[in-house]
Structures are given as C-alpha cells and as structure tokens.
C-alpha cells in the first residue's frame, strides 16, 4: 500500500497568491497578479451594470 502524496497547505497557497507570487501544482513559480488594475476596473463596472468604454 503506497501513501498518498502530501497535500499543499491551502493557506500557504492563498498567502502567496495574495502577495503576488505562488507556486503552480507542477512546481513552477508564478509572479504577478491574476488581475491587473484595468481588469479590476472593468469587472467593477460589469458588477454595477455599466458598460465599460471601448479600448
């Protein structure tokens, strides 16, 4: 009977992601935010029901 691989700590993953860097499941380090300022702005407009200006 083989033991299961140790699972990563979800809170460590969250802290790294919030800090702007995290490690993908394949072990590669990722730097940068998933959403930049423009994406956050457009998502806020979408939630408010307002169309974002073109461009």
């Amino acid at each position: 009977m083989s033991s299961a691989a140790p699972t990563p700590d979800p809170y460590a993953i969250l802290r790294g992601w919030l800090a702007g860097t995290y490690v993908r499941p394949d072990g590669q380090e990722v730097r940068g935010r998933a959403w930049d300022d423009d994406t956050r702005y457009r998502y806020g407009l979408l939630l408010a029901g307002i169309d974002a200006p073109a461009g």
Side-chain angles (χ1 to χ4, degrees), residues 7-49:
T7 58
D9 178 19
Y11 293 105
I13 294 170
L14 177 62
R15 281 191 302 273
W17 183 82
L18 291 173
T21 179
Y22 60 97
V23 178
R24 293 188 342 194
D26 65 0
Q28 180 181 1
E29 185 176 78
V30 178
R31 293 179 183 264
R33 301 262 182 214
W35 288 27
D36 60 2
D37 291 335
D38 183 61
T39 304
R40 250 185 254 114
Y41 168 74
R42 291 176 182 276
Y43 184 66
L45 292 178
L46 176 70
L47 292 178

